[in-house]
Every structure is written in C-alpha cells, then in structure tokens.
C-alpha cells in the first residue's frame, strides 16, 4: 500500500457559490488551497482530481427525482422547488449548481477509491464534508452528501466496516440518516447541543435503526464548550468505540465552525484544539483502521482567520508533515488574503493555545458538570448496545 497522501482538488469547486452575502463563501476554499501551496505541502503529497459523480453514483445515496430537481434548478435557478430544499434561504439555487456539487461529490468518492485500492493511505477533500444533504433534499448549505457517497462507494467496493467521525459544530444528520439501518457503518457526531443549534437533531438517544442499534453515536455538547471540554468529550467516546468496531476505513469530517470566532454557532474551540483532533484522527486511523483515512472539510464561516489555517493543518497532518503551530504564516499568502478580501490575514498557525490539555475520562467525572453529563448520556445510550461498559 502506498504511504503517500492525496489531496483532492479542482479549481472548479470554488464555483460552489450560493451568492453574495451567503455564509458559505467559496473564498475559504481558494485561500485554503493557496495556503497549502505557500506552506510547501504540495511537495509532500499527490494533488489529484476526479470526475464529477454521475447519476449512478449519486443514486447510492440520493433519489433520482431529487437529482433531476437539482439539475433543473441548475439550468434555471428560478424554477427551483423548495419541496426539495432548493431555492431556500439556506440553499439558494444557482446556475451550474448540479455540476459543481457533483464534482465535490466525485472528489470525495475518488478519495474513497484511492484509499480502498491502496493508491494512497490518506486522502483529503477539504471542499467536501457536505453532511446535511438528505436522500431527497438539500439542507444546511449542502446539495449532495459527498461524505455519505464516499462511504456508500466504500461499501460498494467491498468494505464491511466503515467508521465516520464528524466534529463539525452541527450534527452530521444527513450521513446518520443515510446509514441509520446499516450496521456496517458506525456514525459518530460530536456537535453543539440540538437545543441551541441547527439542525435540532443529534440527541444521545439517536442510536440507530432496527438491526443497527448502537451504530449511531451522538455527543451533544453544551453551548460554550471550549478546548479542554471538547477534547475530553472526543477522547471519552471515540477510542473504545473504534477499538470495538475495528473499521477498515476511517472517514472524518472536520468542519471548522466549532471555533470561537465562528459567527454561526456557540462553541469556543481554538485552532489548536482543532489541530489536536486532526492529529488524533490520524493516530486512530493507524491504530484501528490499518492507516486508511479519508478526511473531509465541512462548515466554517470565519473564512479568512480560521478555515484556511485549520484545513491547511489537516492537509499537513495527512501528508505526514505537520506544521508546527508556532510557524509564521507565509507573508506572500497574507498579501493574497488582502488582495482577495481586503482583510489582514493571521500571522501565525496557532491561536496561542498549543499544546492543548484536557482531563481523561478514566481519571473520574463530575456528575454535576454539564459537559460530563453530556458524555455520560452518550456512553449510557450507546455503549451497552455495543457490549461496552458505560
């Protein structure tokens, strides 16, 4: 198996553009790609393209009538049908929407194929992670669910156990829905509590459908959770589940919207904690999945200061050449930031909180602490279903 990592990229993904003023600004993809290059990471991995997903691939997750509705809205945005989640405030229709959404899906499917076939050990598509799209509807800025499609393609190729770990601030509802009844896929989502954030799902009691009990795992974090709590929750649930499940491939979604500067949510996580979780996912892929790791982007709406640095760290971790947090951001990239956004770019690859520390679950917990209550609720709901002690 090749030890080289792949980064999936096609400049056309920057056409995934819901229009002026929409939070999902494609400049975040352009700036991330340019920061990856400025850091010299292109030399550490293979930059690969892929074909747009065709209808037969999209149908692994999506209904044909929905695909036709996306194509129709793509040709004539004024005809978008809100019954399919299209032409809404969250998901405005735009010309070419089907083509660019299918391209992003194709890049994630291509990542899955490369890792499964051994062409790469790790593959990253930071343009992907569009985890809210449902089989028959767009939702939450997501048209086609590339994460679910990558997993479905792995199953089609013969994978028997795939683990999906989602650390976006929002619940990974579309991926959970796609595999709700499938015990071959373990979906784990660590997100802000549904009481305070879209899509109002991801309660600990959501544990999987008939025949797949315990295959959905949800950690619903109190608003305001910061670095130490976020890392504590991640490490209090993931290792035991992955050790029991023994996935053949680990697929992870790294929405950067957990950050304390993100305008759409209420967690208080730093870039440094995001970097720590990326490194932990890399380590877990090697510990539990023979190193096979597919890493995706996701949300993230502080598009200058946060997203490019977070996902450049992700690419670097996958490439096997982590960027030291104290590193200065290349000046040439900061000039590009100013040229594109008229904002000053960040100066270092850290928020100044590295190394991030947290308390292990095994050291004891406080039943009166809201974070520990959230972790315990998940463990009690899921662990017995998987033969584990809560």
């Amino acid at each position: 198996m090749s030890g080289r990592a792949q980064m999936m990229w096609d400049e056309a993904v920057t056409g995934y553009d819901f229009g002026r003023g929409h939070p999902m600004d494609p400049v975040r993809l352009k700036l991330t790609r340019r920061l990856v290059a400025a850091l010299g990471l292109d030399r550490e991995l293979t930059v690969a393209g892929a074909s747009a997903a065709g209808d037969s691939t999209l149908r692994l997750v999506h209904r044909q009538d929905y695909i036709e509705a996306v194509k129709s809205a793509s040709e004539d945005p004024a005809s978008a049908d809100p019954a399919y989640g299209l032409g809404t405030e969250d998901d405005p229709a735009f010309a070419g929407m089907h083509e660019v959404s299918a391209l992003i899906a194709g890049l994630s499917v291509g990542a899955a194929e490369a890792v499964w076939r051994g062409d790469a050990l790790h593959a990253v598509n930071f343009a992907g992670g569009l985890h809210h799209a449902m089989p028959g509807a767009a939702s939450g800025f997501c048209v086609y669910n590339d994460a679910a499609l990558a997993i479905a393609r792995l199953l089609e190729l013969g994978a028997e156990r795939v683990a999906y770990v989602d650390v976006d601030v929002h619940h990974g509802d579309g991926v959970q829905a796609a595999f709700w009844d499938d015990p071959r896929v373990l979906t784990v989502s660590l997100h802000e509590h549904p009481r305070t954030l879209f899509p109002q799902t991801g309660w600990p009691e959501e544990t999987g459908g008939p025949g797949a009990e315990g295959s959905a795992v949800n950690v619903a974090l109190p608003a305001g959770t910061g670095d130490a709590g976020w890392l504590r929750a991640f490490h209090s649930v993931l290792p035991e589940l992955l050790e029991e499940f023994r996935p053949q491939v680990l697929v992870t979604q790294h929405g950067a919207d957990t950050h304390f500067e993100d305008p759409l949510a209420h967690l208080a996580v730093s870039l440094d904690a995001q970097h720590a979780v990326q490194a932990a996912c890399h380590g877990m892929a090697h510990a539990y999945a023979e190193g096979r790791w597919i890493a995706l982007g996701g949300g993230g709406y502080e598009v200058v200061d946060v997203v490019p640095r977070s996902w450049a760290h992700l690419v670097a971790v996958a490439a096997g050449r982590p960027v030291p947090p104290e590193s200065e951001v290349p000046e040439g990239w900061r000039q590009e930031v100013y040229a594109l956004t008229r904002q000053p770019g960040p100066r270092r690859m850290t928020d100044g909180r590295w190394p991030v520390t947290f308390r292990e679950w095994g050291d004891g917990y406080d039943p009166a602490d809201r974070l520990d209550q959230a972790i315990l609720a998940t463990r009690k709901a899921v662990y017995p279903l998987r033969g584990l002690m809560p």
Side-chain angles (χ1 to χ4, degrees):
M1 180 180 287
S2 168
R4 277 187 72 73
Q6 277 191 12
M7 182 178 75
M8 312 302 295
W9 178 253
D10 187 315
E11 194 71 31
V13 299
T14 59
Y16 192 82
D17 188 352
F18 289 112
R20 191 175 182 83
H22 192 283
M24 191 83 139
D25 188 336
V27 77
R28 65 197 198 126
L29 302 178
K30 191 172 293 186
L31 290 176
T32 300
R33 178 67 186 94
R34 292 183 181 181
L35 181 56
V36 165
L39 291 167
L41 296 173
D42 284 11
R43 297 190 297 272
E44 308 294 329
L45 44 64
T46 302
V47 180
S51 301
D55 285 15
S56 62
T57 298
L58 294 172
R59 280 199 304 270
L60 292 173
V61 168
H62 296 289
R63 298 199 319 250
Q64 185 66 40
D65 62 309
Y66 172 61
I67 297 167
E68 295 304 329
V70 175
K71 288 179 180 177
S72 176
S74 188
E75 290 175 13
D76 177 12
S79 74
D81 186 347
Y84 289 104
L86 302 168
T88 62
E89 185 178 355
D90 274 3
D91 298 277
F94 59 91
M97 178 172 66
H98 165 74
E99 288 76 13
V100 69
S101 301
L103 175 60
I104 291 170
L107 291 169
S108 290
V109 169
E113 291 172 346
V115 168
W116 185 252
R117 290 171 177 161
D119 298 335
L121 195 56
H122 310 325
V124 181
N125 178 22
F126 58 78
L130 304 179
H131 60 168
H132 294 308
M134 292 291 175
S139 176
F141 316 160
C142 304
V143 178
Y144 292 137
N145 196 319
D146 65 285
L149 287 162
I151 295 167
R153 180 64 176 138
L154 288 167
L155 298 175
E156 189 177 53
L157 290 170
E160 295 172 350
R161 293 179 311 284
V162 180
Y164 172 76
V165 176
D166 188 319
V167 296
D168 193 289
V169 78
H170 302 92
H171 177 226
D173 57 340
V175 184
Q176 176 179 288
F179 303 106
W180 183 250
D181 297 317
D182 194 334
R184 297 174 297 173
V185 182
L186 177 71
T187 62
V188 185
S189 181
L190 190 79
H191 48 265
E192 184 181 327
H193 202 286
R195 277 198 200 95
T196 51
L197 195 66
F198 174 90
Q200 282 79 50
T201 57
W203 298 77
E205 297 78 16
E206 296 170 32
T207 57
E213 295 87 350
S215 66
V217 182
N218 289 290
V219 188
L221 301 170
T225 297
D227 288 359
W230 193 62
L231 287 170
R232 175 171 168 79
F234 179 89
H235 287 280
S236 296
V237 171
L238 257 297
E240 289 164 280
L241 288 170
L242 292 180
E243 185 173 18
E244 183 273 331
F245 186 65
R246 287 284 164 187
Q248 293 160 298
V249 189
L250 179 64
V251 181
T252 57
Q253 195 268 23
H254 297 270
D257 43 9
T258 50
H259 196 273
F260 55 78
E261 288 184 14
D262 196 273
L264 298 191
H266 320 98
L267 295 191
V269 172
S270 72
L271 184 79
D272 299 297
Q274 292 175 347
H275 184 192
V277 158
Q278 294 162 3
C281 287
H282 175 244
M284 288 177 180
H286 283 280
Y288 305 117
E290 299 179 40
R292 295 188 195 95
W293 182 33
I294 298 154
L296 308 172
Y301 308 100
E302 209 320 310
V303 298
V304 171
D305 198 49
V306 177
V307 173
R309 289 187 298 161
S310 186
W311 290 348
H313 273 304
L314 178 65
V315 171
V317 168
R321 209 204 86 183
V323 174
E326 65 275 9
S327 302
E328 290 193 3
V329 172
E331 182 58 33
W333 181 78
R334 296 184 73 245
Q335 291 171 5
E336 288 190 89
V337 168
Y338 189 77
L340 281 169
T341 68
R342 290 296 181 261
Q343 293 183 48
R347 293 190 173 274
R348 292 194 301 156
M349 292 295 290
T350 178
D351 283 332
R353 298 187 183 180
W354 188 269
V356 184
T357 59
F358 65 96
R359 202 163 56 86
E360 296 275 4
W361 187 252
D363 295 338
Y365 62 89
D366 178 0
D369 180 81
R370 288 173 65 220
L371 176 82
D372 283 3
Q373 288 170 358
I375 296 168
L376 198 56
T378 300
R379 291 175 63 104
K380 283 182 172 176
V382 175
Y383 272 40
L385 296 173
R386 303 210 64 89
L388 298 170
M389 290 289 290

